[in-house]
Amino acid sequence: MQEIIKSKIVPLPRADIDTDLIIPADFLTTTSKKGLGEHVFARLRIMEANFPFNLEKYHGARILVTKKNFGCGSSREHAAWALRDWGIEIVIAPSFADIFFNNAMKNGILPIVLEEKIVNEIFAAGDCEIEVNVAAQKVILPSGEVANFQIDPYRKECLLKGMDDLDYLVSRMAEIERFDKRHSKNMFFDTTVL
Amino acid sequence: MARNIIQKIWDEHVVVSKEGFPDVFAIDLHLIHEVTSPQAFEMLREKGLKFHAVGRAVATVDHNVSTAVNRKVATDAGSQKQIMMLRNNCTEFGVKLLDMDSGKQGIVHVIGPELGLTQPGITVVCGDSHTSTHGAFGALAFGIGTTEVGHVMATGCLLQEKPKTMRVNFVGNMGKGVTAKDLILKLIAQIGVAGARGHVIEYCGEVMSRLSMEERMTICNMSIECGARAGLISPDEVTFEYLQGRECVPKGKKWVEAIQYWSSLVSDKDAEYDSVVEMNIAEMAPMVTWGFNPEQGIEITGEIPRDADIQALDYVRLKAGQRIEEVPVDYVFIGSCTNARLSDLREAADIFRGRKVANGVIVYVVPGSEEVRAAAIREGLDKVFVDAGTDFRNPGCSMCLAMNEDKVPEGKRCASTSNRNFVGRQGKGAITHLMSPIMAAAAAVTGKITDVRKLIK
């Protein structure tokens, strides 16, 4: 991910958007992570002609701004894949569902939590451009004001350097194997009988 | 320091805790299905990694399999390909696959407990948000995305931040016609779809000790619908009795050791929680959702709120202030990881016995596993379902997420025992009302949303 992302926004002023809405089950038979962008929000794009993802003016936007509890429901990582494939790299909302938050981070999407008041100000500004400085953890709002956001230092490094959790996990393999031996006394299920 | 059960299980599974990094957290049991695993197996191949602990993983097919009585794998090419890939991947990496017609296939959250794989104190993950079901046994169980599925395959671990903890106290006893499904629907209505975000819930209250394991699973299953990372219930005699003698459970000396360890998995008397919620269940009626997310639930005797969300009302074609009872239904779905166990089918069958499905209503009864289906047939429940005019099918996720051909058509209304009433969840334009199996059966025989208590003597 680039340190600074400056882009027009896609406004989606709707709370509790679930991952079934982001990518319906019809598209989960894919065995790839690519190509889901054209189906992102498929149901809403059919139901509402003026749904933002249908409108030419939002094409090329890299920042999605939405309301609370974005990405609730199903754990399908396809939701993050679909948004990323469409071009979204930043999602700004007052809160995110836990599983989506994790899935986003692992796919080059930064979920940014900003106060509801600030998010509403962005909506009030209408079609606008926002600058996100990932390295400095700052959002330059349409008004020119600056909002700071939190990001776990490890996650930030992963995003900016394209690092992978798996590299870190694999680097701890010796400790994992020692743990497995110690911990096995408290595990009583046996899959070998199946 | 006094700890609650969530903190105890957490502490037991921290492998590495290093400043500046999330904890390396051990996963004991990894359940795998066809839809969220292909890209994870592919990642192992791309990175040249081995499957870390095949003995701690079990796979099945559930999300997109056909549930037809004379079924062939799946009906569409994409699903067939996913199922074939799972078979090939399990063979290549040596993972045990409980395939169709093995006698053990079923919804991943039904077969784990049924086989005795799900046990107290373990950590369980699956690429499925309803993994929280396994919390009924006092396990810490949660859903993960496909990238993390790959991490568990490769290392048996995940990177995790410590969750907050929430205690939910159910106060009082359940009245006639009120089930475990109603308790969890009421909790979600009370605290909202994000009410437990960032938390793991411990469900408490005297009533918990009287609930069967099946009922406990129904409650834990829907923890994710109030945003929780997981939900669990302390193990007790009911848990041990359920587990004893199941296929993957130890016998003899090992069983005694297990009971000893499992008995330590209770919250200390003075344990603290980040938040506490009380819910009185004594006077409540059976619940029904009216809208398009699970927090939009009301008692069957109630009315849709005057200030109901306009978008939701528009989608479900109902009006603010309208009574929910007597709203006509077109479809009824009895199934899913929430409510497709034998006890659910027995309770539904009690409503269907001696009654007929109302004219024009299509009713799917989809058992949670091949074992549940076989047990239902042994008890003659299949005959009750068929005589009543329902379609008693083969196991799978079916109409809960409508990935296979089991869909509710556009504009049609379904009384469903599943867990989500999201827009288009049961099919494009489908309208879903969540409720318990007996409430769904009552809707099936009357053709409209009905207070089941009127049908119970």
Side-chain angles (χ1 to χ4, degrees):
Chain A
M1 172 169 275
Q2 291 167 297
E3 288 199 10
I4 294 173
I5 291 176
K6 191 173 179 180
S7 157
K8 57 187 173 184
I9 66 157
V10 196
L12 197 48
R14 182 175 173 134
D16 302 315
I17 288 185
D18 57 76
T19 52
D20 272 82
L21 274 182
I22 300 172
I23 189 80
D26 315 34
F27 305 105
L28 303 188
T29 53
T30 179
T31 54
S32 155
K33 297 181 182 182
K34 301 256 180 268
L36 286 168
E38 61 176 306
H39 305 301
V40 72
F41 294 111
R43 300 265 195 258
L44 292 174
R45 280 158 90 169
I46 292 169
M47 285 161 60
E48 300 168 20
N50 285 327
F51 188 73
F53 283 75
N54 282 339
L55 304 179
E56 191 77 33
K57 64 177 177 176
Y58 294 121
H59 284 190
R62 299 159 76 187
I63 302 174
L64 171 65
V65 182
T66 185
K67 292 195 166 185
K68 73 169 177 65
N69 198 33
F70 184 76
C72 62
S74 163
S75 60
R76 59 188 69 170
E77 196 163 317
H78 309 67
W81 298 335
L83 286 168
R84 188 66 192 82
D85 194 57
W86 192 86
I88 297 297
E89 291 172 74
I90 306 263
V91 185
I92 296 176
S95 61
F96 293 88
D98 293 311
I99 303 177
F100 176 82
F101 189 92
N102 270 329
N103 287 341
M105 286 276 199
K106 289 175 172 59
N107 289 282
I109 298 176
L110 173 61
I112 294 179
V113 176
L114 291 183
E115 275 175 59
E116 195 162 357
K117 192 176 136 271
I118 298 175
V119 172
N120 286 339
E121 279 170 25
I122 300 175
F123 287 132
D127 293 335
C128 59
E129 232 185 35
I130 277 182
E131 183 179 318
V132 176
N133 188 323
V134 181
Q137 299 179 211
K138 288 180 191 309
V139 179
I140 300 168
L141 300 168
S143 62
E145 284 177 71
V146 174
N148 297 304
F149 62 90
Q150 298 292 314
I151 173 171
D152 177 86
Y154 167 78
R155 296 284 168 213
K156 179 167 145 183
E157 206 180 330
C158 284
L159 275 173
L160 289 176
K161 294 188 181 163
M163 271 161 40
D164 191 332
D165 285 357
L166 191 54
D167 299 333
Y168 177 64
L169 281 168
V170 169
S171 78
R172 315 305 297 209
M173 214 53 202
E175 283 146 299
I176 291 171
E177 277 166 5
R178 276 201 298 281
F179 173 89
D180 283 350
K181 285 201 185 80
R182 180 169 86 236
H183 174 66
S184 62
K185 68 176 191 310
N186 289 337
M187 261 199 301
F188 298 93
F189 65 88
D190 181 5
T191 61
T192 60
V193 296
L194 291 171
Chain B
M1 209 182 91
R3 293 181 301 166
N4 63 46
I5 178 177
I6 301 156
Q7 292 157 339
K8 287 182 184 184
I9 300 174
W10 180 271
D11 292 346
E12 166 68 23
H13 290 85
V14 174
V15 180
V16 182
S17 194
K18 195 177 156 211
E19 185 71 30
F21 291 87
D23 289 346
V24 177
F25 187 74
I27 301 305
D28 297 326
L29 178 62
H30 185 190
L31 301 169
I32 295 167
H33 66 83
E34 74 278 23
V35 175
T36 57
S37 65
Q39 296 88 345
F41 279 113
E42 188 54 34
M43 194 196 72
L44 289 187
R45 274 190 290 267
E46 275 170 15
K47 301 213 172 203
L49 293 165
K50 281 196 292 240
F51 200 111
H52 176 68
V54 285
R56 282 153 45 193
V58 172
T60 193
V61 284
D62 58 1
H63 277 62
N64 62 24
V65 295
S66 165
T67 62
V69 173
N70 298 309
R71 64 182 177 181
K72 291 185 191 64
V73 197
T75 42
D76 68 290
S79 297
Q80 280 174 16
K81 185 177 168 202
Q82 274 187 335
I83 292 167
M84 285 311 297
M85 280 183 95
L86 183 65
R87 287 173 178 164
N88 293 340
N89 283 327
C90 285
T91 306
E92 181 181 338
F93 290 95
V95 176
K96 181 71 199 179
L97 170 65
L98 303 174
D99 209 340
M100 293 165 82
D101 305 318
S102 64
K104 294 172 185 171
Q105 176 265 340
I107 304 174
V108 68
H109 310 310
V110 174
I111 65 170
E114 191 171 80
L115 294 166
L117 284 166
T118 308
Q119 296 183 4
I122 63 169
T123 51
V124 186
V125 296
C126 175
D128 187 283
S129 61
H130 293 109
T131 307
S132 58
T133 313
H134 307 266
F137 293 78
L140 184 56
F142 51 94
I144 54 177
T146 297
T147 301
E148 291 194 320
V149 168
H151 295 170
V152 179
M153 286 176 175
T155 67
C157 288
L158 286 175
L159 290 185
Q160 285 282 298
E161 274 96 29
K162 196 170 183 169
K164 291 184 198 157
T165 61
M166 174 186 281
R167 182 183 167 99
V168 171
N169 281 326
F170 291 111
V171 181
N173 283 315
M174 292 145 78
K176 186 177 89 169
V178 175
T179 67
K181 181 66 164 284
D182 302 299
L183 299 197
I184 189 66
L185 284 173
K186 174 105 177 165
L187 176 70
I188 297 162
Q190 184 174 316
I191 69 173
V193 287
R197 210 165 37 79
H199 293 73
V200 175
I201 300 175
E202 181 185 0
Y203 297 102
C204 303
E206 209 210 328
V207 68
M208 283 299 123
S209 65
R210 285 193 296 279
L211 295 183
S212 69
M213 290 314 296
E214 287 84 352
E215 292 174 302
R216 295 179 192 189
M217 285 186 247
T218 298
I219 291 176
C220 291
N221 172 274
M222 289 189 74
S223 302
I224 181 74
E225 306 322 329
C226 54
R229 281 172 65 177
L232 56 71
I233 297 167
S234 233
D236 61 9
E237 289 301 323
V238 178
T239 319
F240 307 151
E241 195 180 314
Y242 176 98
L243 285 170
Q244 190 163 24
R246 288 188 188 263
E247 201 168 349
C248 301
V249 174
K251 295 179 179 64
K253 188 166 154 280
K254 267 271 183 208
W255 167 254
V256 177
E257 278 173 37
I259 295 280
Q260 199 174 11
Y261 175 58
W262 296 345
S263 301
S264 73
L265 299 168
V266 288
S267 294
D268 297 332
K269 213 170 98 246
D270 301 322
E272 290 183 358
Y273 298 79
D274 295 292
S275 59
V276 177
V277 172
E278 292 253 325
M279 209 186 81
N280 193 340
I281 59 171
E283 304 294 329
M284 68 177 283
M287 297 288 293
V288 185
T289 62
W290 59 264
F292 64 20
N293 76 40
E295 78 179 32
Q296 291 162 335
I298 52 176
E299 296 189 12
I300 179 67
T301 48
E303 293 164 355
I304 295 171
R306 300 271 164 195
D307 59 352
D309 179 87
I310 305 286
Q311 273 180 327
L313 288 173
D314 197 37
Y315 183 75
V316 302
R317 305 179 190 191
L318 295 172
K319 294 187 175 65
Q322 183 181 345
R323 288 178 64 228
I324 195 70
E325 196 173 2
E326 303 209 341
V327 169
V329 301
D330 310 294
Y331 278 72
V332 173
F333 172 58
I334 298 176
S336 87
C337 56
T338 316
N339 280 124
R341 286 169 279 269
L342 186 59
S343 59
D344 299 311
L345 300 194
R346 280 179 184 152
E347 287 173 20
D350 282 344
I351 303 296
F352 282 118
R353 200 169 279 116
R355 295 191 174 98
K356 292 277 182 210
V357 168
N359 262 343
V361 178
I362 294 170
V363 183
Y364 275 29
V365 179
V366 183
S369 68
E370 290 180 345
E371 175 51 38
V372 168
R373 182 177 159 87
I377 291 171
R378 282 197 296 274
E379 291 184 12
L381 302 184
D382 57 327
K383 199 164 175 319
V384 176
F385 292 131
V386 172
D387 286 351
T390 79
D391 192 351
F392 181 61
R393 301 176 71 86
N394 263 311
C397 298
S398 182
M399 217 177 250
C400 171
L401 86 162
M403 247 198 101
N404 69 353
E405 68 277 24
D406 305 348
K407 295 183 202 299
V408 176
E410 193 158 3
K412 297 291 181 189
R413 191 179 299 280
C414 181
S416 179
T417 68
S418 55
N419 39 55
R420 288 185 176 136
N421 49 345
F422 294 153
V423 169
R425 171 81 177 181
Q426 294 194 290
K428 186 160 71 75
I431 301 165
T432 304
H433 297 280
L434 303 176
M435 61 189 78
S436 73
I438 53 174
M439 282 286 287
V445 297
T446 59
K448 54 200 178 185
I449 296 176
T450 297
D451 189 340
V452 68
R453 294 175 299 181
K454 293 174 182 169
L455 304 185
I456 308 173
K457 282 184 206 86

